[in-house]
Amino acid sequence: PVALSSASTSTDTTNIPGERVGSVPQATSRAELATLFGEAALLDTEVHIGEGFTEPGTAVNADTPAAFSVIWADNDQSQTTTVRDFGPDWQTPEGLRVGMPFAELQSVLGDFDLYGFGWDYGGTIVLEGSNLSNYDGLIVLRLEPTKVDTFQQQPEAFQALQGDHLISSDNPYLSALDLVVYEMIVYLDAPL
């Protein structure tokens, strides 16, 4: 395990997909999280991973702008695999973050595709072929409209953008929906 210093690194909110989340590197254990953030900032819990499934994890700084949750690779809580449930303070060096507006995302990624809406992986961005294709397989970003009734208010857009198929980021319906990044998942090790 890596020796970590809470005084100098626990305020770092930069994600480097495949390497670290702030001061949390790949090999961080539960005990090292406690050293970094203090035991009072940790909550062992089941972390929702989608489709009704959960994994054992630890929430850090829950309900704060610096929040995140770690999913453990083993029962001993000795190595992280995935980090999710990020608060708005977290971002990549390029500025990818929860709450990022669609237009800003386009300026960072360039042309990209995303999956249609209305299913479990709806709004998931495909990084392959984008300006950040080096992050493909290391970070997951998902978009959704800022207003829950957007698709009811714009049924033509919903019809054009729903379902399990790829949509180009230059689709004119997308810019009319007031989309933001609502989920960011960072893999500290490339997923299988």
Side-chain angles (χ1 to χ4, degrees), residues 14-110:
T14 302
N15 290 329
I16 311 286
E19 292 180 26
R20 67 181 178 86
V21 169
S23 54
V24 180
Q26 213 173 45
T28 300
S29 69
R30 169 68 170 72
E32 289 165 330
L33 278 182
T35 299
L36 281 170
F37 298 98
E39 189 62 39
L42 307 183
L43 173 65
D44 293 321
T45 187
E46 291 292 315
V47 178
H48 176 73
I49 61 168
E51 297 184 358
F53 292 98
T54 62
E55 290 283 337
T58 300
V60 180
N61 294 323
D63 301 321
T64 73
F68 66 95
S69 295
V70 169
I71 296 176
W72 299 109
D74 57 14
N75 291 334
D76 295 332
Q77 299 177 321
S78 66
Q79 186 170 0
T80 57
T81 60
T82 309
V83 183
R84 57 189 312 134
D85 302 333
F86 288 99
D89 283 358
W90 292 95
Q91 63 181 356
T92 69
E94 303 80 10
L96 299 175
R97 67 190 182 285
V98 171
M100 181 180 218
F102 182 69
E104 196 176 326
L105 183 68
Q106 283 181 299
S107 69
V108 172
L109 294 182

Side-chain angles (χ1 to χ4, degrees), residues 61 99 127 142 163 166 168 181:
N61 294 323
L127 292 173
R142 292 198 175 102
L166 289 176
S168 175
V181 173

Side-chain angles (χ1 to χ4, degrees), residues 50-184:
E51 297 184 358
F53 292 98
T54 62
E55 290 283 337
T58 300
V60 180
N61 294 323
D63 301 321
T64 73
F68 66 95
S69 295
V70 169
I71 296 176
W72 299 109
D74 57 14
N75 291 334
D76 295 332
Q77 299 177 321
S78 66
Q79 186 170 0
T80 57
T81 60
T82 309
V83 183
R84 57 189 312 134
D85 302 333
F86 288 99
D89 283 358
W90 292 95
Q91 63 181 356
T92 69
E94 303 80 10
L96 299 175
R97 67 190 182 285
V98 171
M100 181 180 218
F102 182 69
E104 196 176 326
L105 183 68
Q106 283 181 299
S107 69
V108 172
L109 294 182
D111 294 331
F112 62 94
D113 291 328
L114 66 140
Y115 283 95
F117 297 93
W119 65 298
D120 286 338
Y121 299 105
T124 300
I125 294 169
V126 176
L127 292 173
E128 184 179 354
S130 76
N131 291 342
L132 293 180
S133 59
N134 58 312
Y135 285 163
D136 187 37
L138 297 174
I139 189 171
V140 174
L141 300 167
R142 292 198 175 102
L143 297 169
E144 70 180 2
T146 57
K147 297 180 181 130
V148 293
D149 66 346
T150 296
F151 286 123
Q152 290 85 357
Q153 299 296 321
Q154 298 187 35
E156 189 176 321
F158 180 67
Q159 187 64 33
L161 300 174
Q162 74 172 340
D164 179 3
H165 62 92
L166 289 176
I167 298 166
S168 175
S169 61
D170 63 4
N171 185 305
Y173 285 115
L174 292 172
S175 58
L177 294 180
D178 195 24
L179 297 169
V180 296
V181 173
Y182 79 93
E183 183 173 41
M184 179 170 58

